[in-house]
Amino acid sequence: MEALMASVCEAFGLDAAACRWEELSGGHINRTLRVRCVGPEGTLRDLVLQRINTRVFRQPEEVMENIVRVTAHLRSRQPGALTLRYHPARDGRPFFRDAEGGCWRLCDFVPSVSYTSGASLRVVEGAGEAFGTFQQLLADFPADTLHETIPGFHHTPSRYEQLMQAAEQDAAGRASSAREELAWLQSVREEACRLCAMQARGELPLRVTHNDTKIANVLFSEASGRPLMVIDLDTVMPGLVAYDFGDAIRTAACTAPEDERTLSRVSLDMPRYAAFARGFLSRTAARLTRAELETLPLGCLSVTVEQAVRFLEDYLRGDVYYRISCPEHNLIRARCQIALAKDMQARLGEMEQVLIPWRSA
Ligand code: GN1
Ligand code: MG
């Protein structure tokens, strides 16, 4: 480990002996370290070093190429705004491949706060503005020039197929403990896959979307409470607006964290839903088609069901994808997402009502 870190530091021109690092938890996929470097005159420099999970992102060079192009576009449209900026390694590339095949990248640490759940209405509205602005600024980015960093990432029908295959194979001998969950997910399959079917029929456009819009992926200023920047651009690819909207609602407007065990605590928080919608639509409504506006609530249900499908699949396969912190973590996560999805399903009409003013705007 020491030798590995020394080689990574050296690749980015850092003096390993003058660096201290600590793990930052939060993400389920990549490994993230906060690095503090002491300069020659005792000056401090805080950085974030990340090891891209190459089992998940098979072509990390393509991930980085997308990010460099997308952030350059964002900066050209909004000079002065904070965007992710990776430091070049000694060879000039924005990443470093270590001797074991690991892929590392380095950026500045941004002093900020972030939220997983329980954010104030003002913060949630700010998250809506941040993701809405992201979408708006990328509206003229040529979507078909982006690499698909994870094929079929939000293709819900494929996610269902993979779940059913995992249940059939039952590699970890867990399928019998997930029968109820599997049955419920089957019962909403058509509804959860409806937006993908509409897209396939040409009724919904593909746009450049973020694809991982959980509220934890917006950094806020602690002093002003305003959004500072959108992070985690690994999955920026062509996608459906409703999935970005929905994935944000799944986290920002849920009354509990993503892995809440007490399911009676899990529901859709309507004031937070409305606050996010206000922020997001203030930036995007003018460009959205009527079909896009009308399907935003179904996007919330679809992406929440899809997330349950993905967590349950990983549970059935023996926890090979998401980082877990207890043996049944993926089952707990799947149950929590199902509880939220059930509440969304029952309240689709209410969710639509909230958006009516935007339809005629
Ligand atoms: C993963 O990047 P991270 O760990 O925040 C996942 C998302 C899920 C999320 C659930 C590449 O996000 O799709 O929505 O966990 N990212 C990938 O919290 O699979
Ligand atoms: Mg992510």
Side-chain angles (χ1 to χ4, degrees):
M1 178 64 191
E2 287 297 309
L4 179 66
M5 289 314 281
S7 76
V8 175
C9 285
E10 131 75 7
F12 285 107
L14 300 173
D15 174 6
C19 293
R20 298 281 164 271
W21 45 79
E22 56 168 323
E23 297 268 347
L24 293 179
S25 57
H28 303 338
I29 308 290
N30 295 324
R31 178 166 173 231
T32 310
L33 303 164
R34 178 175 171 171
V35 184
R36 170 158 283 191
C37 303
V38 187
E41 275 99 45
T43 49
L44 291 179
R45 200 170 154 220
D46 282 331
L47 299 152
V48 175
L49 183 64
Q50 222 176 18
R51 184 179 190 276
I52 301 176
N53 183 331
T54 43
R55 264 190 309 112
V56 170
F57 296 103
R58 302 282 172 155
Q59 311 284 351
E61 293 85 358
E62 296 189 354
V63 171
M64 296 310 292
E65 193 184 316
N66 278 359
I67 295 178
V68 167
R69 294 185 57 231
V70 161
T71 51
H73 186 93
L74 292 172
R75 281 191 284 272
S76 75
R77 294 291 179 277
Q78 206 181 32
L82 268 181
T83 49
L84 266 184
R85 205 187 272 271
Y86 287 103
H87 294 284
R90 281 187 190 279
D91 64 5
R93 297 189 300 175
F95 57 86
F96 165 64
R97 296 300 300 240
D98 68 34
E100 296 163 20
C103 188
W104 299 80
R105 61 189 175 191
L106 182 76
C107 64
D108 287 332
F109 177 84
V110 177
S112 57
V113 281
S114 61
Y115 303 84
T116 45
S117 64
S120 70
L121 290 181
R122 184 162 176 268
V123 163
V124 170
E125 183 169 346
E129 288 169 13
F131 283 126
T133 302
F134 185 84
Q135 177 86 204
Q136 182 192 25
L137 297 176
L138 291 171
D140 61 342
F141 188 95
D144 54 356
T145 64
L146 284 172
H147 299 289
E148 197 177 6
T149 57
I150 301 180
F153 190 55
H154 280 311
H155 189 254
T156 310
S158 312
R159 295 293 187 177
Y160 262 98
E161 275 158 33
Q162 284 152 23
L163 172 67
M164 294 314 151
Q165 196 189 61
E168 214 162 277
Q169 293 170 344
D170 198 15
R174 291 170 164 181
S176 61
S177 55
R179 253 191 223 119
E180 252 180 65
E181 290 74 16
L182 282 165
W184 188 80
L185 290 171
Q186 276 292 21
S187 76
V188 286
R189 189 170 182 161
E190 186 280 327
E191 202 176 4
C193 294
R194 201 175 292 159
L195 295 189
C196 289
M198 287 178 72
Q199 192 277 318
R201 290 197 299 268
E203 293 163 22
L204 290 172
L206 285 178
R207 298 182 184 272
V208 176
T209 48
H210 181 283
N211 295 306
D212 191 4
T213 51
K214 53 187 188 184
I215 189 168
N217 282 337
V218 183
L219 302 184
F220 290 86
S221 152
E222 192 162 17
S224 70
R226 296 290 302 151
L228 288 174
M229 69 193 280
V230 168
I231 58 167
D232 193 352
L233 307 185
D234 299 341
T235 50
V236 174
M237 290 180 274
L240 297 174
V241 168
Y243 274 59
D244 264 11
F245 180 83
D247 207 17
I249 295 299
R250 181 182 74 76
T251 52
C254 179
T255 51
E258 190 177 64
D259 56 357
E260 174 62 55
R261 288 166 188 260
T262 309
L263 299 181
S264 57
R265 291 196 188 134
V266 181
S267 61
L268 175 70
D269 182 314
M270 217 30 110
R272 287 198 176 95
Y273 169 83
F276 184 87
R278 212 163 37 243
F280 187 81
L281 290 171
S282 71
R283 302 295 196 268
T284 56
R287 282 181 195 274
L288 300 184
T289 66
R290 191 180 169 92
E292 282 182 301
L293 270 169
E294 284 175 358
T295 51
L296 295 179
L298 185 53
C300 301
L301 176 66
S302 309
V303 84
T304 305
V305 168
E306 184 191 273
Q307 193 64 64
V309 165
R310 293 175 61 196
F311 283 144
L312 197 64
E313 182 201 342
D314 199 33
Y315 173 71
L316 295 175
R317 293 201 191 277
D319 311 312
V320 293
Y321 188 89
Y322 292 107
R323 189 173 299 129
I324 54 165
S325 49
C326 65
E328 301 219 305
H329 207 162
N330 276 316
L331 181 60
I332 293 164
R333 287 167 172 156
R335 287 183 171 150
C336 174
Q337 297 305 297
I338 288 175
L340 178 60
K342 284 181 176 169
D343 195 40
M344 287 175 168
Q345 194 186 31
R347 296 165 76 187
L348 274 176
E350 247 179 280
M351 293 164 86
E352 278 160 16
Q353 283 294 318
V354 171
L355 305 187
I356 284 181
W358 298 96
R359 285 195 203 170
S360 42

